[in-house]
């Protein structure tokens, strides 16, 4: 029973880490695109929509989280920065979603390997 509580706490921490990584990735994206105004709020907005799209994609499509998360990143980033090319936004969105998922998933499976 104690191990279940540990894994639950680790899982909650990794969900928070996934959101934080998406937020940092969105902030890095805005910084690389030369955006200087309201970066904190815009990065938060992009991260919220990306995380929501990722979660809905995982819930309804299984492995569709990276796809729907990338689409959500694209839509929210294009609303914030319409002058950036579409291919650049899609690649950034996919890389942010994929990197945050791989880091959090790797830590989760590493924690499971330690407990098991």
């Amino acid at each position: 029973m104690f191990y279940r509580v540990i894994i639950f706490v680790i899982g909650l921490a990794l969900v928070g880490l996934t959101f934080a990584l998406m937020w940092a990735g969105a902030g890095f994206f805005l910084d690389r695109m030369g955006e200087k105004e309201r970066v904190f709020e815009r990065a938060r907005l992009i991260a919220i929509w990306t995380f929501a799209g990722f979660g809905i994609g995982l819930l309804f499509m299984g492995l569709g989280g990276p796809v729907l998360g990338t689409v959500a990143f694209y839509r929210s980033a294009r609303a914030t920065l319409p002058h950036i090319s579409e291919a650049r936004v899609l690649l950034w969105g996919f890389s942010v979603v994929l990197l945050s998922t791989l880091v959090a998933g790797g830590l989760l499976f590493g924690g499971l390997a330690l407990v098991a």
Side-chain angles (χ1 to χ4, degrees):
M1 178 65 183
F2 181 67
Y3 293 121
R4 291 180 184 173
V5 173
I6 290 173
I7 293 301
F8 180 73
V9 170
I10 290 172
L12 283 178
L14 290 176
V15 166
L17 176 68
T18 304
F19 179 74
L21 287 170
M22 287 182 183
W23 194 346
F28 188 64
F29 164 73
L30 290 172
D31 184 50
R32 295 287 292 175
M33 295 302 125
E35 191 62 32
K36 301 296 181 207
E37 281 185 29
R38 298 180 15 223
V39 173
F40 185 78
E41 292 101 13
R42 289 179 178 182
R44 181 179 51 88
L45 181 68
I46 292 172
I48 287 171
W49 283 107
T50 304
F51 188 75
F54 180 77
I56 290 171
L58 283 180
L59 182 67
F60 289 115
M61 295 183 286
L63 295 175
V67 173
L68 201 56
T70 301
V71 170
F73 184 95
Y74 168 77
R75 297 282 302 194
S76 57
R78 291 293 289 172
T80 307
L81 301 169
H83 62 278
I84 306 296
S85 70
E86 293 180 3
R88 180 178 273 182
V89 175
L90 281 172
L91 287 174
W92 267 94
F94 186 68
S95 62
V96 165
V97 169
L98 191 64
L99 181 67
S100 62
T101 304
L102 288 175
V103 168
L107 288 174
L108 176 64
F109 286 121
L112 287 172
L114 288 176
V115 172

